[in-house]
Amino acid sequence: MLFRMLEEASVLLWASLLVLAAPVSGPLAAVYKSVISIQPPWTTVFRGERVNLTCSGFHFYAQEKLQGYRWFSGKARPHETPGNTLEVRDSGQYRCQAPGSLPSNPVHLIFSSASLILQAPYSVFEGDELVLRCQKRGREKLAVVKYTWNRKIISGTDESFDLLIPKASLNNSGCYQCIGFLENAYVLKTSQINIQIQELFSRPKLEVTDSQPIEGKPVNLSCETQLPLERPDTRLHFAFFRDNGVMISNRSGSPDLQITAIWREDSGSYWCGAETVTGGIHKRSLPLQIDVQRIPVSGVLLETQPQEDQVVEGETLVLVCSVAKGTGNTTFSWHREDTRESLGQKSQRSQKAELEIPVIRESHAGRYYCTADNGYGLIQSQAVNVTVRSIPGIKRSLVAGGTTGGSLSILLAVALLFYCWHQRKPGDGFQGDIIRRPLTVGPPGPFNPMCPAPVELQQLYINVHPRERDLVYSEIQISQPGAEGEANTFRTSLENQHVSIVYSEVKTQL
């Protein structure tokens, strides 16, 4: 006796420890008890009939290794069977234990000798079909059957002796009784039986990793519920809502939801819902308040790309405004200090914003600053002094006809000019870089159709731009003889020649 008491105490201790340690997130709770079922499904039968018990386990708990299935009945000593079924004929409370699992919950069976019994199933879950059956023993037949629920008549018919509730709910729990009317007007009543409709899954509970998260941070939501061991394969769908039923996720089989970045406008009351796939059972959690915390901007800084002392005229200047701290939607503004001019404004969820000046000029030199505001007040950066410098170089604009087409013509003309220089005889070259030679009078050399008439490069002006001392303005004269007198002489008078004059800026410093 002492050994049996210690054994049962050990089993109960392990059961309580596993129940306390069992998580409730997700559809299936980790409480590994055996499950007992009965066939026929009634807990009350007539004496002399038989009921088959079946034991099922989850093969997890392994405090001791069982060779078979252990059965418990009242105060009788437990006994084992090689199979998982047991046939019983006596009233009592029965439990079973499968190998690797804890003992099951008890089932109470009644083998009655009464003339009229009310039969009810061993376990009924919400959403199940509930059938109550009024059974009469003997030759006398029932003429009318009525059922009561909590002492109130709820059904009376002469067509069927069964009470059918197509979709049971928790509200259907209570005390039921059957009243039978015989054909000889004799009335029989059954004992009252208590029927408890069980939850198919517990009411969801919404859990959150942080109920006061910092703006921009991720937040994980979990809709936690639990399925009974008898229905571990029940499929559920989950959905998450905010405030007045605004759905923030589609229904899915996952009880978890991750919000990758939460913002202050996302603050509010959140709740989750769980339902069976068939949609028959719906449950929702209690609301949970989430207050998103915003960090005010601070440490506003203005930087330039390139740096403020390396800005070159004609290049692009980028003004970069950033904050050391600050979350949420931030409004950035750029300003010029000396002219009080506002250059631009941007609003975005970022700690940095850029403003681009495509072509910088000397007139853009000055002091600049930026401001940032995310709803807690305007914060200004220190001013940055931007200097713009010019670098002497080849000027690409033309003195005469400053168009792109004119520039291309000049380049082609110069290329052709150098080609023709190489085609001339020795001695026909220029005498000096800055000496003006008179036009040569005499018969022309062999005429190359690709080359124009003799060309002279004349220095006209030096140092027209005082700042650009390495430039010399020169005149290119392209002379072509007239139609008459080609074999005799060239006229030296410029008025009688077809002369094309092009002004070009030539860089003398190499």
Side-chain angles (χ1 to χ4, degrees), residues 13 24 49 54 96 108 135 160 216 231 289 292 330 485 492:
L13 176 60
V24 293
E49 296 181 341
T54 302
C96 76
H108 187 72
Q135 288 282 68
S160 174
R231 304 290 178 88
Q289 184 68 27
V292 183
T330 303
T492 58

Side-chain angles (χ1 to χ4, degrees), residues 65 100 108 169 200 226 247 269 395 422 463 502:
K65 294 184 178 179
H108 187 72
S169 68
L200 183 59
Q226 182 175 347
M247 182 179 290
S269 179
K395 302 295 185 178
H422 287 287
N463 299 333
V502 179

